PDB file of all heavy atoms in Angstrom:
ATOM      1  N   LYS N 467     -26.259  -0.278  24.359  1.00 59.00           N
ATOM      2  CA  LYS N 467     -26.970  -1.559  24.377  1.00 59.00           C
ATOM      3  C   LYS N 467     -26.886  -2.172  22.968  1.00 59.00           C
ATOM      4  O   LYS N 467     -26.762  -1.511  21.957  1.00 59.00           O
ATOM      5  CB  LYS N 467     -28.452  -1.331  24.716  1.00 59.00           C
ATOM      6  CG  LYS N 467     -28.699  -0.740  26.107  1.00 59.00           C
ATOM      7  CD  LYS N 467     -30.152  -0.518  26.354  1.00 59.00           C
ATOM      8  CE  LYS N 467     -30.393   0.135  27.732  1.00 59.00           C
ATOM      9  NZ  LYS N 467     -31.836   0.381  27.982  1.00 59.00           N
ATOM     10  N   ARG N 468     -26.921  -3.498  22.968  1.00 54.00           N
ATOM     11  CA  ARG N 468     -26.939  -4.284  21.682  1.00 54.00           C
ATOM     12  C   ARG N 468     -28.357  -4.710  21.450  1.00 54.00           C
ATOM     13  O   ARG N 468     -29.045  -5.189  22.360  1.00 54.00           O
ATOM     14  CB  ARG N 468     -25.999  -5.490  21.818  1.00 54.00           C
ATOM     15  CG  ARG N 468     -25.613  -6.109  20.491  1.00 54.00           C
ATOM     16  CD  ARG N 468     -24.529  -5.264  19.818  1.00 54.00           C
ATOM     17  NE  ARG N 468     -23.909  -6.006  18.738  1.00 54.00           N
ATOM     18  CZ  ARG N 468     -24.159  -5.806  17.450  1.00 54.00           C
ATOM     19  NH1 ARG N 468     -25.025  -4.903  17.065  1.00 54.00           N
ATOM     20  NH2 ARG N 468     -23.486  -6.481  16.537  1.00 54.00           N
ATOM     21  N   ASN N 469     -28.832  -4.525  20.188  1.00 60.00           N
ATOM     22  CA  ASN N 469     -30.246  -4.912  19.865  1.00 60.00           C
ATOM     23  C   ASN N 469     -30.262  -5.664  18.555  1.00 60.00           C
ATOM     24  O   ASN N 469     -29.299  -5.698  17.799  1.00 60.00           O
ATOM     25  CB  ASN N 469     -31.140  -3.685  19.875  1.00 60.00           C
ATOM     26  CG  ASN N 469     -30.603  -2.614  18.926  1.00 60.00           C
ATOM     27  OD1 ASN N 469     -30.352  -2.853  17.749  1.00 60.00           O
ATOM     28  ND2 ASN N 469     -30.447  -1.369  19.441  1.00 60.00           N
ATOM     29  N   LEU N 470     -31.435  -6.214  18.249  1.00 62.00           N
ATOM     30  CA  LEU N 470     -31.611  -7.020  17.066  1.00 62.00           C
ATOM     31  C   LEU N 470     -31.452  -6.208  15.787  1.00 62.00           C
ATOM     32  O   LEU N 470     -30.874  -6.679  14.790  1.00 62.00           O
ATOM     33  CB  LEU N 470     -33.005  -7.709  17.080  1.00 62.00           C
ATOM     34  CG  LEU N 470     -33.213  -8.837  16.073  1.00 62.00           C
ATOM     35  CD1 LEU N 470     -32.197  -9.955  16.300  1.00 62.00           C
ATOM     36  CD2 LEU N 470     -34.644  -9.377  16.200  1.00 62.00           C
ATOM     37  N   GLN N 471     -31.919  -4.979  15.812  1.00 65.00           N
ATOM     38  CA  GLN N 471     -31.773  -4.111  14.622  1.00 65.00           C
ATOM     39  C   GLN N 471     -30.282  -3.888  14.326  1.00 65.00           C
ATOM     40  O   GLN N 471     -29.892  -3.897  13.159  1.00 65.00           O
ATOM     41  CB  GLN N 471     -32.445  -2.762  14.892  1.00 65.00           C
ATOM     42  CG  GLN N 471     -32.352  -1.776  13.726  1.00 65.00           C
ATOM     43  CD  GLN N 471     -33.019  -2.273  12.499  1.00 65.00           C
ATOM     44  OE1 GLN N 471     -34.158  -2.800  12.554  1.00 65.00           O
ATOM     45  NE2 GLN N 471     -32.408  -2.105  11.346  1.00 65.00           N
ATOM     46  N   GLY N 472     -29.480  -3.742  15.333  1.00 62.00           N
ATOM     47  CA  GLY N 472     -28.045  -3.586  15.151  1.00 62.00           C
ATOM     48  C   GLY N 472     -27.407  -4.819  14.553  1.00 62.00           C
ATOM     49  O   GLY N 472     -26.491  -4.710  13.699  1.00 62.00           O
ATOM     50  N   VAL N 473     -27.885  -5.995  14.937  1.00 63.00           N
ATOM     51  CA  VAL N 473     -27.382  -7.239  14.352  1.00 63.00           C
ATOM     52  C   VAL N 473     -27.699  -7.282  12.882  1.00 63.00           C
ATOM     53  O   VAL N 473     -26.807  -7.650  12.074  1.00 63.00           O
ATOM     54  CB  VAL N 473     -27.985  -8.462  15.076  1.00 63.00           C
ATOM     55  CG1 VAL N 473     -27.583  -9.756  14.389  1.00 63.00           C
ATOM     56  CG2 VAL N 473     -27.588  -8.484  16.535  1.00 63.00           C
ATOM     57  N   PHE N 474     -28.941  -6.903  12.454  1.00 63.00           N
ATOM     58  CA  PHE N 474     -29.307  -6.912  11.059  1.00 63.00           C
ATOM     59  C   PHE N 474     -28.475  -5.880  10.268  1.00 63.00           C
ATOM     60  O   PHE N 474     -28.066  -6.118   9.140  1.00 63.00           O
ATOM     61  CB  PHE N 474     -30.784  -6.632  10.866  1.00 63.00           C
ATOM     62  CG  PHE N 474     -31.655  -7.838  11.209  1.00 63.00           C
ATOM     63  CD1 PHE N 474     -32.660  -7.739  12.140  1.00 63.00           C
ATOM     64  CD2 PHE N 474     -31.483  -9.040  10.570  1.00 63.00           C
ATOM     65  CE1 PHE N 474     -33.471  -8.809  12.440  1.00 63.00           C
ATOM     66  CE2 PHE N 474     -32.253 -10.142  10.848  1.00 63.00           C
ATOM     67  CZ  PHE N 474     -33.287 -10.023  11.816  1.00 63.00           C
ATOM     68  N   ASN N 475     -28.229  -4.721  10.893  1.00 66.00           N
ATOM     69  CA  ASN N 475     -27.421  -3.704  10.233  1.00 66.00           C
ATOM     70  C   ASN N 475     -25.982  -4.220  10.007  1.00 66.00           C
ATOM     71  O   ASN N 475     -25.370  -3.938   8.982  1.00 66.00           O
ATOM     72  CB  ASN N 475     -27.384  -2.415  11.073  1.00 66.00           C
ATOM     73  CG  ASN N 475     -28.694  -1.682  11.033  1.00 66.00           C
ATOM     74  OD1 ASN N 475     -29.495  -1.843  10.128  1.00 66.00           O
ATOM     75  ND2 ASN N 475     -28.905  -0.836  12.057  1.00 66.00           N
ATOM     76  N   ASP N 476     -25.463  -4.919  11.007  1.00 61.00           N
ATOM     77  CA  ASP N 476     -24.118  -5.460  10.898  1.00 61.00           C
ATOM     78  C   ASP N 476     -24.039  -6.486   9.758  1.00 61.00           C
ATOM     79  O   ASP N 476     -23.058  -6.538   9.006  1.00 61.00           O
ATOM     80  CB  ASP N 476     -23.678  -6.119  12.210  1.00 61.00           C
ATOM     81  CG  ASP N 476     -23.353  -5.127  13.274  1.00 61.00           C
ATOM     82  OD1 ASP N 476     -23.407  -3.891  12.972  1.00 61.00           O
ATOM     83  OD2 ASP N 476     -23.060  -5.528  14.425  1.00 61.00           O
ATOM     84  N   ALA N 477     -25.083  -7.296   9.598  1.00 67.00           N
ATOM     85  CA  ALA N 477     -25.104  -8.302   8.555  1.00 67.00           C
ATOM     86  C   ALA N 477     -25.079  -7.631   7.164  1.00 67.00           C
ATOM     87  O   ALA N 477     -24.332  -8.044   6.249  1.00 67.00           O
ATOM     88  CB  ALA N 477     -26.300  -9.204   8.681  1.00 67.00           C
ATOM     89  N   SER N 478     -25.890  -6.594   6.988  1.00 66.00           N
ATOM     90  CA  SER N 478     -25.915  -5.913   5.676  1.00 66.00           C
ATOM     91  C   SER N 478     -24.648  -5.182   5.402  1.00 66.00           C
ATOM     92  O   SER N 478     -24.125  -5.178   4.304  1.00 66.00           O
ATOM     93  CB  SER N 478     -27.110  -4.922   5.650  1.00 66.00           C
ATOM     94  OG  SER N 478     -26.957  -3.918   6.617  1.00 66.00           O
ATOM     95  N   ASN N 479     -24.020  -4.595   6.477  1.00 60.00           N
ATOM     96  CA  ASN N 479     -22.747  -3.926   6.266  1.00 60.00           C
ATOM     97  C   ASN N 479     -21.628  -4.898   5.943  1.00 60.00           C
ATOM     98  O   ASN N 479     -20.723  -4.614   5.186  1.00 60.00           O
ATOM     99  CB  ASN N 479     -22.353  -3.136   7.520  1.00 60.00           C
ATOM    100  CG  ASN N 479     -23.058  -1.788   7.618  1.00 60.00           C
ATOM    101  OD1 ASN N 479     -23.454  -1.226   6.599  1.00 60.00           O
ATOM    102  ND2 ASN N 479     -23.260  -1.307   8.817  1.00 60.00           N
ATOM    103  N   SER N 480     -21.691  -6.113   6.528  1.00 62.00           N
ATOM    104  CA  SER N 480     -20.689  -7.133   6.199  1.00 62.00           C
ATOM    105  C   SER N 480     -20.761  -7.552   4.759  1.00 62.00           C
ATOM    106  O   SER N 480     -19.729  -7.722   4.079  1.00 62.00           O
ATOM    107  CB  SER N 480     -20.900  -8.357   7.123  1.00 62.00           C
ATOM    108  OG  SER N 480     -20.632  -8.017   8.479  1.00 62.00           O
ATOM    109  N   LEU N 481     -21.977  -7.678   4.215  1.00 65.00           N
ATOM    110  CA  LEU N 481     -22.110  -8.057   2.786  1.00 65.00           C
ATOM    111  C   LEU N 481     -21.650  -6.904   1.905  1.00 65.00           C
ATOM    112  O   LEU N 481     -21.020  -7.115   0.872  1.00 65.00           O
ATOM    113  CB  LEU N 481     -23.580  -8.390   2.500  1.00 65.00           C
ATOM    114  CG  LEU N 481     -24.101  -9.674   3.160  1.00 65.00           C
ATOM    115  CD1 LEU N 481     -25.591  -9.858   2.872  1.00 65.00           C
ATOM    116  CD2 LEU N 481     -23.318 -10.925   2.622  1.00 65.00           C
ATOM    117  N   ALA N 482     -21.961  -5.689   2.320  1.00 60.00           N
ATOM    118  CA  ALA N 482     -21.502  -4.532   1.556  1.00 60.00           C
ATOM    119  C   ALA N 482     -19.985  -4.426   1.522  1.00 60.00           C
ATOM    120  O   ALA N 482     -19.355  -4.126   0.517  1.00 60.00           O
ATOM    121  CB  ALA N 482     -22.088  -3.224   2.138  1.00 60.00           C
ATOM    122  N   ARG N 483     -19.346  -4.766   2.665  1.00 55.00           N
ATOM    123  CA  ARG N 483     -17.903  -4.770   2.721  1.00 55.00           C
ATOM    124  C   ARG N 483     -17.320  -5.850   1.786  1.00 55.00           C
ATOM    125  O   ARG N 483     -16.294  -5.610   1.136  1.00 55.00           O
ATOM    126  CB  ARG N 483     -17.439  -5.050   4.172  1.00 55.00           C
ATOM    127  CG  ARG N 483     -17.587  -3.880   5.106  1.00 55.00           C
ATOM    128  CD  ARG N 483     -17.050  -4.208   6.508  1.00 55.00           C
ATOM    129  NE  ARG N 483     -17.208  -3.076   7.420  1.00 55.00           N
ATOM    130  CZ  ARG N 483     -16.775  -3.108   8.683  1.00 55.00           C
ATOM    131  NH1 ARG N 483     -16.216  -4.189   9.162  1.00 55.00           N
ATOM    132  NH2 ARG N 483     -16.944  -2.036   9.448  1.00 55.00           N
ATOM    133  N   LEU N 484     -17.988  -6.999   1.739  1.00 61.00           N
ATOM    134  CA  LEU N 484     -17.494  -8.063   0.837  1.00 61.00           C
ATOM    135  C   LEU N 484     -17.497  -7.610  -0.596  1.00 61.00           C
ATOM    136  O   LEU N 484     -16.530  -7.808  -1.324  1.00 61.00           O
ATOM    137  CB  LEU N 484     -18.331  -9.311   1.007  1.00 61.00           C
ATOM    138  CG  LEU N 484     -18.013 -10.495   0.102  1.00 61.00           C
ATOM    139  CD1 LEU N 484     -16.588 -10.986   0.367  1.00 61.00           C
ATOM    140  CD2 LEU N 484     -18.990 -11.620   0.266  1.00 61.00           C
ATOM    141  N   TYR N 485     -18.579  -6.943  -1.027  1.00 56.00           N
ATOM    142  CA  TYR N 485     -18.642  -6.443  -2.375  1.00 56.00           C
ATOM    143  C   TYR N 485     -17.583  -5.373  -2.631  1.00 56.00           C
ATOM    144  O   TYR N 485     -16.861  -5.386  -3.647  1.00 56.00           O
ATOM    145  CB  TYR N 485     -20.045  -5.828  -2.635  1.00 56.00           C
ATOM    146  CG  TYR N 485     -20.141  -5.116  -3.958  1.00 56.00           C
ATOM    147  CD1 TYR N 485     -20.257  -5.782  -5.176  1.00 56.00           C
ATOM    148  CD2 TYR N 485     -20.125  -3.717  -3.993  1.00 56.00           C
ATOM    149  CE1 TYR N 485     -20.321  -5.106  -6.348  1.00 56.00           C
ATOM    150  CE2 TYR N 485     -20.185  -3.019  -5.172  1.00 56.00           C
ATOM    151  CZ  TYR N 485     -20.322  -3.735  -6.364  1.00 56.00           C
ATOM    152  OH  TYR N 485     -20.353  -3.024  -7.540  1.00 56.00           O
ATOM    153  N   GLN N 486     -17.468  -4.465  -1.669  1.00 57.00           N
ATOM    154  CA  GLN N 486     -16.486  -3.370  -1.792  1.00 57.00           C
ATOM    155  C   GLN N 486     -15.064  -3.960  -1.860  1.00 57.00           C
ATOM    156  O   GLN N 486     -14.268  -3.549  -2.768  1.00 57.00           O
ATOM    157  CB  GLN N 486     -16.603  -2.450  -0.569  1.00 57.00           C
ATOM    158  CG  GLN N 486     -15.808  -1.170  -0.702  1.00 57.00           C
ATOM    159  CD  GLN N 486     -16.568  -0.091  -1.461  1.00 57.00           C
ATOM    160  OE1 GLN N 486     -17.783  -0.256  -1.672  1.00 57.00           O
ATOM    161  NE2 GLN N 486     -15.905   0.961  -1.881  1.00 57.00           N
ATOM    162  N   ASN N 487     -14.731  -4.900  -1.000  1.00 55.00           N
ATOM    163  CA  ASN N 487     -13.402  -5.460  -0.952  1.00 55.00           C
ATOM    164  C   ASN N 487     -13.066  -6.240  -2.223  1.00 55.00           C
ATOM    165  O   ASN N 487     -11.922  -6.281  -2.691  1.00 55.00           O
ATOM    166  CB  ASN N 487     -13.232  -6.375   0.255  1.00 55.00           C
ATOM    167  CG  ASN N 487     -13.480  -5.678   1.586  1.00 55.00           C
ATOM    168  OD1 ASN N 487     -13.880  -6.303   2.543  1.00 55.00           O
ATOM    169  ND2 ASN N 487     -13.277  -4.394   1.633  1.00 55.00           N
ATOM    170  N   THR N 488     -14.069  -6.930  -2.795  1.00 57.00           N
ATOM    171  CA  THR N 488     -13.856  -7.807  -3.914  1.00 57.00           C
ATOM    172  C   THR N 488     -13.733  -7.051  -5.230  1.00 57.00           C
ATOM    173  O   THR N 488     -12.877  -7.427  -6.082  1.00 57.00           O
ATOM    174  CB  THR N 488     -15.018  -8.811  -4.016  1.00 57.00           C
ATOM    175  OG1 THR N 488     -15.127  -9.554  -2.794  1.00 57.00           O
ATOM    176  CG2 THR N 488     -14.756  -9.815  -5.168  1.00 57.00           C
ATOM    177  N   PHE N 489     -14.508  -6.002  -5.421  1.00 56.00           N
ATOM    178  CA  PHE N 489     -14.559  -5.377  -6.739  1.00 56.00           C
ATOM    179  C   PHE N 489     -14.095  -3.913  -6.790  1.00 56.00           C
ATOM    180  O   PHE N 489     -13.532  -3.505  -7.791  1.00 56.00           O
ATOM    181  CB  PHE N 489     -16.015  -5.438  -7.285  1.00 56.00           C
ATOM    182  CG  PHE N 489     -16.528  -6.821  -7.455  1.00 56.00           C
ATOM    183  CD1 PHE N 489     -17.608  -7.265  -6.718  1.00 56.00           C
ATOM    184  CD2 PHE N 489     -15.938  -7.703  -8.324  1.00 56.00           C
ATOM    185  CE1 PHE N 489     -18.118  -8.538  -6.899  1.00 56.00           C
ATOM    186  CE2 PHE N 489     -16.396  -8.977  -8.489  1.00 56.00           C
ATOM    187  CZ  PHE N 489     -17.505  -9.417  -7.741  1.00 56.00           C
ATOM    188  N   LYS N 490     -14.314  -3.158  -5.764  1.00 66.00           N
ATOM    189  CA  LYS N 490     -14.116  -1.696  -5.867  1.00 66.00           C
ATOM    190  C   LYS N 490     -12.789  -1.213  -5.241  1.00 66.00           C
ATOM    191  O   LYS N 490     -12.267  -0.171  -5.650  1.00 66.00           O
ATOM    192  CB  LYS N 490     -15.290  -0.935  -5.183  1.00 66.00           C
ATOM    193  CG  LYS N 490     -16.619  -1.225  -5.831  1.00 66.00           C
ATOM    194  CD  LYS N 490     -16.662  -0.804  -7.283  1.00 66.00           C
ATOM    195  CE  LYS N 490     -18.004  -1.045  -7.917  1.00 66.00           C
ATOM    196  NZ  LYS N 490     -18.009  -0.688  -9.353  1.00 66.00           N
ATOM    197  N   ASP N 491     -12.287  -1.939  -4.278  1.00 71.00           N
ATOM    198  CA  ASP N 491     -11.120  -1.402  -3.523  1.00 71.00           C
ATOM    199  C   ASP N 491      -9.849  -1.368  -4.305  1.00 71.00           C
ATOM    200  O   ASP N 491      -8.962  -0.561  -4.003  1.00 71.00           O
ATOM    201  CB  ASP N 491     -10.953  -2.217  -2.247  1.00 71.00           C
ATOM    202  CG  ASP N 491     -11.943  -1.855  -1.163  1.00 71.00           C
ATOM    203  OD1 ASP N 491     -12.732  -0.918  -1.409  1.00 71.00           O
ATOM    204  OD2 ASP N 491     -11.950  -2.503  -0.087  1.00 71.00           O
TER     205      ASP N 491
END
Side-chain angles (χ1 to χ4, degrees):
K467 299 178 181 178
R468 198 77 164 104
N469 54 55
L470 193 60
Q471 180 64 42
V473 174
F474 284 125
N475 287 340
D476 286 357
S478 63
N479 280 335
S480 295
L481 292 175
R483 285 182 180 182
L484 177 63
Y485 171 77
Q486 191 84 13
N487 301 152
T488 304
F489 299 116
K490 300 299 181 182
D491 282 357

